[in-house]
Amino acid sequence: MADPVKSEVKTNGVHKTTNGHHTEEELKVAIIGQSNFAAEVLEVLLEREHIVVGVFTIADKGNREDILATTARQHGIPVFKFSAWRRKGVPIPEVLEQYRSVGANLNVLPFCSQFIPMEVIDGAAFGSICYHPSILPLHRGASAISWTLIEGDERAGFSIFWADDGLDTGPILLQKQCPVFGDDTLDTLYKRFLYPEGVTAMAEAVDMIAAGTAPKIPQTEIGASYDPALFREENQYINLNQPAVRIFNFIRGLDSVPGALAIVEMDDGIELPVRLFGASLSARRSMTNAKLIRFKGAVGPAFVTREGIFISGTDGTLVRVKRVKRGNRVIPAGQWFEQSDTKVTPLELSDKEREQDTTLRSIWKSILKVEIEPETDFFACGAGSMDVVRLVEEVKDTLEVPISNETLFMAPMYGEFLQEVILRLRTGGSDPGATIGCDYKHVVLKANRRQISVPTQMFINGRFVDAEGAKTIAIVNPTNEQVICEVAAASKTDVNDAVQAADDAFRGVWSSVSARERGQLMYKLADLMEQHKEELATIESIDSGAVYTLALKTHVGMSIDAWRYYAGWADKIEGTTIPVNPARPNHVLTFTKKEPIGVCALVTPWNYPLMMLSWKMAACIAAGNTVIIKPAQVCPLTALKFAELTVRAGFPAGVINVVTGTGSLAGQALADHPLVRKLGFTGSTPIGKRIMASCAESNIKKCSMELGGKSPLVIFADCDLEKAVRLGMSSVFFNKGENCIAAGRLFVEDRIHDEFVRKVIKGIKTMKIGDPLDRATAHGPQNHLAHFEKLQEYCTIGVKEGATLLYGGKRVPNMKGLFFEPTVFTDVEDHMYIAREESFGPIMIISKFHASDFEALVARANNTEYGLASGVFTKDIQKALLFAEKVEAGTVFVNTYNKTDVAAPFGGFKQSGFGKDLGKEALNEYLKTKCVTVEY
């Protein structure tokens, strides 16, 4: 091999002399290698104006050539592609001839997987330099990066050495090092240091050769190691009979490719090979809710929990494994037993689809700059938002398949992503999620000239699943009191599964979705709700008894409005900078950050099933949280249909979860769960008190409460009486009286009292009561039997205490179903039960007042522990504003009622709860404020 230290090099017309020797020969570089690494080395050498006379790379794979060849061709550099340089250990003459034809006098091998004959290595006048990813002489061999991690080295690095006929034994030209961090893997080391610094160092080495300053430092044998090649399967098996840190290091050393091999001993005696990925040393010392799994050769026990597989080292420390490759499929390790019986058949690819696989793999590789395997995780490799955009756009343009960012979020591993793309290509580009209807247990509702498929299982981690033990509860149609279907009844274990899924999503894929992308997902969901609004309104009518026209306008319409409103807020959640007063001469910057809380639980009532879900969840999701909702036991069907739409909208698995069942079990489990950091509740005050206590005792979780109401509506004699009657009736009878802000007590000035009552009774008699799906119906059935019976009892108490029952108070005669007559009580005194307690039904409670004592009137209106809403009708602006000022209620209506909007905050005072739904203020219920102070 020529000795460059004793040669003169002429680069770009400049003559350089070392050791007094002089030559006119120019530096002519041949690059021998492959991959993005080699391509970038080529680019940098050209930028530094070195002469590259030829590029030698691998043969094409299918119809695609290596990126090094493509890059060279773009610069007009001769490209040679060889499948091999030798045959039976002897150089192939025609290959040697082509190499010699370019007249190279320096060989640069930035990344080369082929064995290059010594006739080539020594055939260049200035020698050959190689890149090796280790600090030579440590870790010689093809798997150097892996062994750096496996051996627990504190430092990693690379060497550029002069090639000789040994195994990475030639003299060193230069070396660079970096620390190995506790969470480093092959990919992180490669991306953080070995790749970018390696490209620069290769160019630096050529510069040194051109300048005649490149050293040749003989490698010492002290500390030298010759490590086994890990591309041989027999070397990939992990020894589980060693301390946890050694197990951890071996797994992360093979984390990208091909994965550490272990053998699981199944209950039936079968030994199942698996590959382990995503290892970390666990601080856990005890395992709860864990199942045992047996690994061959392991001395200590191993466990499966929702968090993954935990393997015991000989020192008692646990190693957590996040992903397992079982056969051809990579699964979350925590789902080992869930998927143990699942037979997943990989797609059989046609010849054309194999070409598409090659194309897709090359796109991933060009972005991630790592070798792509089925288990390669796009985000775990450090990809950012621009990488997502680039990948999606390149795939769309190259393969002409309509995918979106959400496609990648739902399938971040290459094997999953390939399958998703191939399935879309096979189905003409339609979203496979659109066929989710075939995958769950469901009931078909035949009503309203429609056939509507509705899920009957819980929705956890992106899938519809049965409850533990397949336990169910019956759902009854209040219009005819017939069972609609059986719906899953969640256990405490089911709730825990949903919370774990939400926690995994919050810390995983959801954290990779930008605020603006969150908003786009929400807009897409709102559009889907709009497309399916007639179906949703029909389900709401059948399930909860809501009048269809009202369900269409309010239950569903306002739900869609809420999702669109908060979609607009998603990328406008901001902190502030604060002008603090630091001691000089220091400079201090103090700012706040608004951050999502984490896993949030929502427990919603039965009067507006979809709307209450949307009021709370839209703000929760916009703020960046993940969520589990427990809809009302008696009417969960719109929540389950909504879950289906979230899949079609592209929400990642685990972000939105629905658990159905009883409040005493499923709702309580959410309130008690330590991973739930926020609970939003709408319901009765007694249940709210119990939930608050659970929130405090479990983990002092943040909570917001929208509870009972006894909203006063004051009607002065100077009002527009016709409007007051019309809206007064609406304030009580809207949505069958099942309305949290319903006017629980009307105070009517004595001068108009009798006329007001007369007009109300007349209006009631014109209301059509009947099938909620009939477009002419104004008053439908009460939601469920227990509530219906409570209303009957409420009226009995009112009569017993001496109030006058003018109308109603009983079941509608000669009509099947839970139909309760609109009811009017007068002569109601302040001490009476019906004056103090909420009916939550179509019962109007009327009391007289004299206008001479305004203060006494306000005191009567405030004489309740509730403070949700209130209203006043008068043409006197002074009285209206004084009432609004003095009444103790979160919402005040003046000359109107029930007029809510998604932009207006909604919530109560006193025992009606605290916190807000709707409006900008609701976002604060699902955010936490962090203060950051920086001295500079």
Side-chain angles (χ1 to χ4, degrees):
M1 182 181 293
D3 185 349
V5 177
K6 297 182 179 179
S7 304
E8 179 190 293
V9 181
K10 177 184 179 185
T11 305
N12 303 320
V14 179
H15 297 269
K16 297 181 175 65
T17 306
T18 58
N19 291 348
H21 297 282
H22 183 80
T23 178
E24 294 293 328
E25 187 175 4
E26 274 188 320
L27 192 64
K28 299 176 183 178
V29 177
I31 294 182
I32 305 174
Q34 64 204 71
S35 81
N36 285 278
F37 184 82
E40 288 204 27
V41 169
L42 170 60
E43 295 273 15
V44 175
L45 290 180
L46 295 175
E47 287 172 7
R48 299 190 181 193
E49 298 185 351
H50 290 294
I51 299 172
V52 179
V53 294
V55 161
F56 299 85
T57 187
I58 58 175
D60 292 350
K61 293 181 178 180
N63 294 327
R64 295 189 65 83
E65 64 182 5
D66 186 81
I67 185 66
L68 174 60
T70 303
T71 305
R73 201 180 312 283
Q74 290 170 350
H75 291 282
I77 298 170
V79 176
F80 303 86
K81 302 174 185 178
F82 304 140
S83 57
W85 289 69
R86 303 187 313 164
R87 186 179 294 120
K88 296 181 180 180
V90 177
I92 300 171
E94 55 266 33
V95 169
L96 280 181
E97 182 180 350
Q98 290 184 63
Y99 163 73
R100 290 167 178 159
S101 69
V102 301
N105 53 25
L106 174 66
N107 295 325
V108 174
L109 286 70
F111 180 82
C112 183
S113 63
Q114 297 172 307
F115 193 95
I116 310 301
M118 291 309 298
E119 288 83 350
V120 173
I121 296 296
D122 291 339
F126 299 116
S128 300
I129 59 171
C130 295
Y131 171 91
H132 187 77
S134 80
I135 309 170
L136 291 172
L138 188 62
H139 304 313
R140 294 170 175 165
S143 304
I145 312 175
S146 295
W147 284 103
T148 296
L149 292 168
I150 291 171
E151 293 298 326
D153 295 355
E154 293 185 358
R155 301 197 67 78
F158 59 82
S159 304
I160 297 174
F161 68 98
W162 299 94
D164 66 1
D165 58 357
L167 181 65
D168 308 331
T169 57
I172 302 298
L173 194 160
L174 64 82
Q175 291 181 322
K176 293 192 177 182
Q177 301 182 22
C178 71
V180 177
F181 300 129
D183 58 350
D184 267 326
T185 64
L186 273 172
D187 288 340
T188 61
L189 275 178
Y190 188 58
K191 288 181 69 68
R192 186 180 83 244
F193 184 80
L194 298 176
Y195 185 104
E197 293 296 327
V199 169
T200 302
M202 287 298 287
E204 181 183 338
V206 174
D207 288 345
M208 293 169 70
I209 294 169
T213 59
K216 296 179 76 173
I217 304 168
Q219 289 191 42
T220 175
E221 289 303 306
I222 300 174
S225 66
Y226 299 87
D227 300 309
L230 292 172
F231 55 77
R232 300 184 186 280
E233 187 172 289
E234 62 268 22
N235 297 328
Q236 296 164 7
Y237 283 91
I238 186 170
N239 174 15
L240 296 175
N241 187 17
Q242 58 182 333
V245 68
R246 296 286 299 175
I247 296 172
F248 160 68
N249 283 334
F250 192 88
I251 296 173
R252 70 170 174 159
L254 280 75
D255 195 74
S256 179
V257 180
L261 265 173
I263 301 294
V264 175
E265 296 179 330
M266 306 294 284
D267 291 340
D268 57 6
I270 293 176
E271 294 187 348
L272 182 67
V274 296
R275 293 191 181 273
L276 310 178
F277 301 93
S280 60
L281 284 173
S282 175
R284 294 182 62 163
R285 291 296 179 267
S286 62
M287 305 298 297
T288 56
N289 299 320
K291 297 180 180 179
L292 285 172
I293 182 173
R294 295 192 305 274
F295 284 96
K296 186 176 183 179
V299 176
F303 311 90
V304 179
T305 75
R306 184 76 192 182
E307 299 172 43
I309 292 177
F310 291 82
I311 301 172
S312 301
T314 54
D315 54 356
T317 301
L318 295 171
V319 178
R320 177 190 175 195
V321 175
K322 293 182 181 178
R323 299 185 304 279
V324 176
K325 185 176 183 182
R326 179 177 181 163
N328 292 321
R329 189 180 182 206
V330 177
I331 63 171
Q335 295 179 14
W336 175 265
F337 288 108
E338 295 174 37
Q339 304 195 21
S340 61
D341 298 324
T342 303
K343 306 275 186 203
V344 178
T345 304
L347 290 177
E348 290 289 337
L349 302 184
S350 65
D351 290 342
K352 182 178 180 180
E353 288 170 344
R354 279 191 284 272
E355 292 177 8
Q356 291 165 337
D357 177 15
T358 302
T359 300
L360 195 60
R361 195 179 297 265
S362 69
I363 295 173
W364 274 56
K365 186 174 180 180
S366 68
I367 295 171
L368 300 179
K369 297 179 171 59
V370 297
E371 294 300 317
I372 306 301
E373 298 295 330
E375 63 272 10
T376 301
D377 187 309
F378 194 79
F379 297 106
C381 290
S385 57
M386 283 305 298
D387 299 314
V388 174
V389 174
R390 176 182 166 189
L391 174 69
V392 170
E393 293 306 311
E394 284 196 35
V395 173
K396 284 163 63 177
D397 291 344
T398 305
L399 297 180
E400 297 182 354
V401 57
I403 64 168
S404 63
N405 294 1
E406 292 73 45
T407 309
L408 179 61
F409 297 141
M410 293 288 283
M413 290 189 184
Y414 177 76
E416 301 169 342
F417 188 80
L418 170 65
Q419 181 148 319
E420 185 78 10
V421 169
I422 295 299
L423 286 173
R424 290 186 184 224
L425 287 167
R426 289 180 180 180
T427 57
S430 63
D431 185 349
T435 64
I436 190 171
C438 302
D439 299 329
Y440 56 63
K441 294 179 183 177
H442 60 279
V443 62
V444 177
L445 303 182
K446 298 178 180 179
N448 212 12
R449 300 184 299 278
R450 285 177 164 75
Q451 292 192 33
I452 306 167
S453 174
V454 184
T456 57
Q457 297 169 289
M458 300 177 301
F459 183 69
I460 297 176
N461 204 28
R463 297 187 300 135
F464 287 103
V465 295
D466 285 332
E468 184 179 31
K471 188 175 180 181
T472 62
I473 51 175
I475 305 301
V476 176
N477 182 341
T479 301
N480 56 25
E481 298 183 79
Q482 294 179 358
V483 173
I484 303 169
C485 61
E486 297 281 335
V487 167
S491 68
K492 188 174 180 180
T493 300
D494 296 323
V495 170
N496 182 66
D497 289 344
V499 174
Q500 292 287 350
D503 188 60
D504 291 345
F506 179 73
R507 301 178 191 284
V509 64
W510 198 230
S511 65
S512 302
V513 179
S514 71
R516 192 157 298 167
E517 288 165 334
R518 281 201 308 271
Q520 290 167 351
L521 282 170
M522 294 172 70
Y523 277 125
K524 187 173 181 180
L525 176 59
D527 290 343
L528 284 166
M529 293 171 71
E530 182 86 47
Q531 294 168 24
H532 293 268
K533 64 183 178 181
E534 289 85 2
E535 291 184 10
L536 292 168
T538 302
I539 298 168
E540 201 89 321
S541 293
I542 294 171
D543 197 20
S544 74
V547 171
Y548 176 76
T549 52
L550 176 64
L552 199 61
K553 178 180 183 295
T554 301
H555 290 234
V556 179
M558 199 170 185
S559 297
I560 295 168
D561 288 347
W563 284 99
R564 286 183 175 146
Y565 175 79
Y566 284 109
W569 271 113
D571 62 353
K572 300 171 187 67
I573 297 171
E574 302 169 342
T576 58
T577 55
I578 303 170
V580 296
N581 188 29
R584 293 297 181 183
N586 296 334
H587 295 275
V588 173
L589 169 66
T590 297
F591 61 91
T592 61
K593 296 178 64 183
K594 295 286 189 180
E595 297 181 348
I597 291 174
V599 177
C600 298
L602 306 177
V603 179
T604 51
W606 41 259
N607 58 327
Y608 294 102
L610 184 63
M611 193 174 80
M612 289 295 99
L613 174 154
S614 298
W615 279 23
K616 296 180 186 299
M617 193 186 293
C620 176
I621 292 296
N625 302 283
T626 55
V627 67
I628 308 99
I629 186 167
K630 207 294 287 183
Q633 171 183 338
V634 293
C635 47
L637 297 186
T638 44
L640 293 171
K641 188 67 176 179
F642 168 86
E644 177 192 318
L645 297 182
T646 67
V647 176
R648 297 183 179 184
F651 277 85
V655 174
I656 295 172
N657 305 273
V658 182
V659 293
T660 49
T662 65
S664 59
L665 201 161
Q668 187 64 46
L670 286 169
D672 291 338
H673 204 290
L675 286 181
V676 174
R677 293 298 173 183
K678 161 68 197 283
L679 191 143
F681 174 74
T682 294
S684 71
T685 297
I687 299 300
K689 290 179 179 179
R690 192 182 310 165
I691 287 177
M692 279 190 67
S694 299
C695 289
E697 290 168 3
S698 57
N699 59 349
I700 316 185
K701 59 173 60 71
K702 186 177 182 180
C703 58
S704 54
M705 299 278 159
E706 196 245 283
L707 306 175
K710 190 66 176 174
S711 301
L713 173 57
V714 176
I715 301 174
F716 285 97
D718 64 353
C719 71
D720 178 337
L721 185 58
E722 295 298 326
K723 183 179 182 182
V725 169
R726 176 168 51 83
L727 294 179
M729 290 179 65
S730 175
S731 75
V732 176
F733 303 130
F734 186 83
N735 199 49
K736 313 162 290 172
E738 296 168 355
N739 189 23
C740 52
I741 58 170
R745 189 177 180 191
L746 276 65
F747 295 90
V748 181
E749 190 173 341
D750 51 9
R751 288 194 297 154
I752 61 168
H753 174 273
D754 293 348
E755 180 66 8
F756 178 87
V757 172
R758 186 186 67 80
K759 288 179 177 291
V760 166
I761 299 297
K762 180 181 177 182
I764 289 175
K765 291 178 179 179
T766 65
M767 291 171 59
K768 180 175 179 180
I769 302 173
D771 183 356
L773 291 173
D774 186 334
R775 303 314 193 257
T777 295
H779 188 80
Q782 303 309 134
N783 187 275
H784 56 280
L785 180 61
H787 179 57
F788 183 88
E789 292 172 342
K790 176 187 170 186
L791 295 179
Q792 291 177 315
E793 181 184 358
Y794 188 91
C795 292
T796 300
I797 294 172
V799 171
K800 184 177 180 181
E801 289 191 333
T804 301
L805 177 59
L806 278 185
Y807 194 91
K810 63 183 185 300
R811 182 190 288 265
V812 176
N814 304 316
M815 184 176 288
K816 187 178 182 180
L818 303 177
F819 292 92
F820 195 85
E821 287 185 335
T823 299
V824 178
F825 276 99
T826 59
D827 302 318
V828 179
E829 301 296 334
D830 292 358
H831 68 276
M832 293 179 177
Y833 176 84
I834 63 173
R836 293 180 287 107
E837 296 299 327
E838 180 181 31
S839 70
F840 212 67
I843 302 175
M844 182 178 285
I845 308 298
I846 303 176
S847 300
K848 289 182 185 178
F849 74 91
H850 192 276
S852 61
D853 194 344
F854 182 83
E855 296 298 329
L857 172 65
V858 172
R860 292 180 72 189
N862 286 335
N863 186 24
T864 172
E865 273 302 299
Y866 300 111
L868 188 56
S870 61
V872 60
F873 280 82
T874 177
K875 293 178 181 177
D876 186 335
I877 189 64
Q878 183 181 26
K879 281 191 294 189
L881 292 180
L882 278 173
F883 179 82
E885 177 184 319
K886 294 180 179 297
V887 72
E888 296 169 348
T891 296
V892 183
F893 296 110
V894 178
N895 293 327
T896 188
Y897 209 88
N898 281 330
K899 195 173 286 295
T900 55
D901 186 84
V902 292
F906 180 92
F909 299 160
K910 299 189 287 188
Q911 290 195 42
S912 285
F914 54 88
K916 297 295 183 184
D917 289 321
L918 304 183
K920 180 183 178 182
E921 286 193 39
L923 291 168
N924 293 325
E925 304 297 331
Y926 300 96
L927 292 166
K928 57 190 178 187
T929 301
K930 180 181 289 181
C931 182
V932 181
T933 297
V934 181
E935 184 173 293
Y936 60 96

